[in-house]
Amino acid sequence: MRKRNKKYLTLQCRSSLLAILLLLLTGACDFFRFKSETEAGADLVIATVGNQNLLRSELSFIKAESKSEEDSANIASRYVQSWIRKQLLIKEAGKSMAFDEAEINRKLLDYKYALMVYEFEKKYVEENLNNNISQQEIEDYYQVNKVNFSLKEIIVRVNFVKTEKESSQNKQLERMLRSQNQKDSDTFKALAANSGANYFLEDSTWIKLDDIIVNTPLANHPNKVELVRNNKLIITDDDRYRYYFKILEYKLQDQVPPLEFVRDEITKILINKRRIELVDQLQKEVYNRALEKNEFKIYE
């Protein structure tokens, strides 16, 4: 590979930044391959701020993240600009404030050790966590804590269908929606699925009222509480469509939601509790093992 002369990009020549990066990124395989021992001392400087240099090798990650040569150049350009800004802030901070180097180093070490511990605990949890939550666990947690799941919005079980306003099926759909006969209910669902422009027919699924009425004339209804309280069947139109809502059941704000509505949330809570328990278990195991082996001392 032809040896390139070193080039220094200072703040005064930002206009040529992208052109230089494109040149550097041409022939990505050569540009991004790891340096051999003989090349280690000849790393090209991409940018400089004061006495701080950004080296070509520090951009080697770009090859894996980019999809094309142009993409590589854009990523490199953003990275260089970000690096320059950070270095300028560091330089300005050094001029404007007096820093306790020992305190900064202590904080860096604290962060380093905290990150090491976090990664160690994360690996332990990933290897030992059981994500299977039983129905009984969910029900038990719900019974003890359901008061904590107070609703913040109206939820409903509903049959919903949206049809063309002039559809020949509308009269039949309305008749079946008013019927209490299970056979009519099944026929309605089949008809809605075949002729509806949009529909929601999951009888057992609780859904937020705002989610089901979005993009319908009911979206801006001034009193949604009265709407669901006083109407089992709601029919409304806009210029083109007719909307049918059969309210099967509802729950209002501040009421306790049914278990099915909070099942996923409870599952996440229980899994997170297991994570915390595993971390606590790991810490105790490490401590007790070290205690048995006399690996630490406490001085009075």
Side-chain angles (χ1 to χ4, degrees), residues 171-291:
K171 286 186 178 180
Q172 186 179 4
L173 282 169
E174 183 174 340
R175 180 183 64 79
M176 288 185 290
L177 276 171
R178 295 183 185 279
S179 173
Q180 301 299 315
N181 188 296
Q182 182 59 46
K183 184 177 180 180
D184 284 341
S185 177
D186 294 339
T187 304
F188 160 75
K189 290 179 181 179
L191 186 61
N194 288 329
S195 62
N198 194 9
Y199 56 87
F200 181 84
L201 305 170
E202 302 294 331
D203 289 356
S204 61
T205 301
W206 288 88
I207 186 171
K208 296 176 183 178
L209 178 65
D210 284 343
D211 289 346
I212 200 70
I213 65 176
V214 67
N215 297 324
T216 78
L218 297 182
N220 297 317
H221 194 281
N223 194 333
K224 293 171 185 174
V225 172
E226 291 302 314
L227 179 69
V228 297
R229 273 180 172 166
N230 298 330
N231 298 278
K232 293 296 184 184
L233 178 62
I234 304 168
I235 303 173
T236 185
D237 298 341
D238 59 20
D239 292 340
R240 181 177 176 183
Y241 294 105
R242 177 159 294 172
Y243 304 84
Y244 298 90
F245 301 86
K246 184 174 183 180
I247 307 298
L248 305 174
E249 191 176 357
Y250 65 87
K251 295 283 185 181
L252 303 178
Q253 293 101 324
D254 299 324
Q255 290 185 336
V256 175
L259 172 59
E260 288 305 314
F261 188 74
V262 292
R263 175 183 297 278
D264 290 346
E265 185 178 353
I266 291 175
T267 299
K268 291 177 182 177
I269 290 171
L270 293 175
I271 289 176
N272 191 55
K273 286 184 66 178
R274 288 183 181 178
R275 292 179 186 275
I276 294 170
E277 290 168 358
L278 280 171
V279 169
D280 186 56
Q281 174 183 309
L282 173 62
Q283 292 174 354
K284 288 178 180 177
E285 287 177 358
V286 171
Y287 181 88
N288 291 334
R289 188 164 56 245
L291 183 63

Side-chain angles (χ1 to χ4, degrees), residues 85-213:
R85 285 176 170 81
K86 288 178 182 177
Q87 294 303 320
L88 288 172
L89 286 171
I90 292 170
K91 185 178 179 182
E92 191 66 24
K95 291 191 297 183
S96 304
M97 298 177 63
F99 290 95
D100 185 335
E101 290 289 337
E103 179 65 12
I104 290 176
N105 288 333
R106 184 190 66 77
K107 289 180 178 179
L108 286 172
L109 280 175
D110 285 347
Y111 175 74
K112 174 184 176 181
Y113 295 146
L115 186 59
M116 290 171 62
V117 169
Y118 169 78
E119 292 296 335
F120 176 54
E121 291 175 344
K122 179 182 175 184
K123 183 174 184 294
Y124 181 84
V125 169
E126 288 174 350
E127 292 175 348
N128 293 278
L129 180 64
N130 177 7
N131 286 307
N132 296 320
I133 304 295
S134 70
Q135 175 67 19
Q136 190 61 53
E137 288 177 286
I138 293 172
E139 290 178 359
D140 290 346
Y141 187 89
Y142 175 76
Q143 291 301 325
V144 173
N145 299 280
K146 59 184 177 181
V147 68
N148 297 325
F149 292 101
S150 179
L151 285 169
K152 295 179 176 59
E153 61 270 297
I154 301 171
I155 62 173
V156 292
R157 288 194 305 110
V158 62
N159 285 159
F160 160 70
V161 62
K162 168 185 173 182
T163 66
E164 293 286 344
K165 192 174 181 179
E166 304 303 327
S167 172
S168 60
Q169 307 287 350
N170 286 348
K171 286 186 178 180
Q172 186 179 4
L173 282 169
E174 183 174 340
R175 180 183 64 79
M176 288 185 290
L177 276 171
R178 295 183 185 279
S179 173
Q180 301 299 315
N181 188 296
Q182 182 59 46
K183 184 177 180 180
D184 284 341
S185 177
D186 294 339
T187 304
F188 160 75
K189 290 179 181 179
L191 186 61
N194 288 329
S195 62
N198 194 9
Y199 56 87
F200 181 84
L201 305 170
E202 302 294 331
D203 289 356
S204 61
T205 301
W206 288 88
I207 186 171
K208 296 176 183 178
L209 178 65
D210 284 343
D211 289 346
I212 200 70
I213 65 176

Side-chain angles (χ1 to χ4, degrees), residues 43-60:
D43 204 354
L44 187 65
V45 175
I46 302 300
T48 181
V49 175
N51 61 356
Q52 298 298 316
N53 294 328
L54 176 64
L55 302 178
R56 179 180 68 174
S57 59
E58 296 178 64
L59 301 180
S60 60

